[in-house]
Amino acid sequence: MPDPQATIRKALPSDANAIFGVHRASVRVLCASAYSAEHIESWFEDRTPEIYASALSSGHVWVAEHRGRIIGFVGVQPGEITLLFVSPEFAGQGVGCSLFELALSIAGGGPEQAIIVVATKNSESFYAAYGFVAVEEQAFVRGTQGLQYPVVKMQLHSGVHVQA
């Protein structure tokens, strides 16, 4: 159950450093069971908070705050939810669900438009609980070694929204 003092708001460009911190912490702890130590170590190699600049300036990122501290974030645009990460100490407390449910309402999807997410291997079951189904195995490349990170493109057809 989410803390009643946690709030969700549209992210500001000035939130980039805090979002980057949440993203790194979440990957290091919550993705560690699904990716090798080498993958975790190089995930943010040569990356800075600037990676969010475009999404922040266009209003496509929302944050969850607890007592003034950003504890999670989600990226969303029509038809696609691009990012969902929560601080490890708040995982399993409803923060991710609250952010994701907001993102679902924003992403919308019409009669002929599905909502897409690209799930890290550790988050597939989270999205499946909302009715998303795997449609394609994919990978992204990071770091100087060019490591491939397996991910899964998942899709929810309009009108199928299931609450976890």
Side-chain angles (χ1 to χ4, degrees):
M1 171 176 252
D3 184 316
Q5 294 179 347
T7 57
I8 297 177
R9 64 169 174 81
K10 191 172 277 194
L12 304 169
S14 59
D15 294 325
N17 287 334
I19 291 168
F20 191 71
V22 167
H23 198 171
R24 281 190 312 189
S26 183
V27 165
R28 286 183 178 151
V29 175
L30 303 176
C31 295
S33 64
Y35 296 92
S36 73
E38 185 179 36
H39 281 95
I40 299 299
E41 185 61 33
S42 66
W43 198 300
F44 289 94
E45 191 175 282
D46 296 329
R47 300 180 91 206
T48 69
E50 284 298 308
I51 62 175
Y52 315 107
S54 176
L56 287 168
S57 66
S58 58
H60 293 298
V61 180
W62 295 78
V63 295
E65 285 185 316
H66 181 264
R67 298 182 180 161
R69 176 180 157 222
I70 293 175
I71 60 170
F73 69 99
V74 65
V76 61
Q77 52 196 357
E80 184 177 13
I81 299 171
T82 57
L83 296 166
L84 176 62
F85 289 89
V86 174
S87 292
E89 64 268 33
F90 289 91
Q93 297 180 36
V95 174
C97 290
S98 294
L99 284 165
F100 192 65
E101 288 166 13
L102 171 67
L104 282 171
S105 71
I106 294 168
E112 296 181 25
Q113 181 184 10
I115 299 173
I116 300 294
V117 298
V118 176
T120 54
K121 295 303 257 179
N122 58 295
S123 64
E124 283 181 77
S125 62
F126 175 86
Y127 297 119
Y130 281 91
F132 281 78
V133 295
V135 294
E136 182 182 0
E137 296 284 330
Q138 298 180 338
F140 64 87
V141 177
R142 291 275 189 279
T144 55
Q145 296 178 34
L147 292 177
Q148 288 200 1
Y149 292 74
V151 292
V152 178
K153 180 178 179 181
M154 300 182 79
Q155 183 172 311
L156 177 72
H157 290 282
S158 64
V160 181
H161 299 184
V162 176
Q163 288 197 324

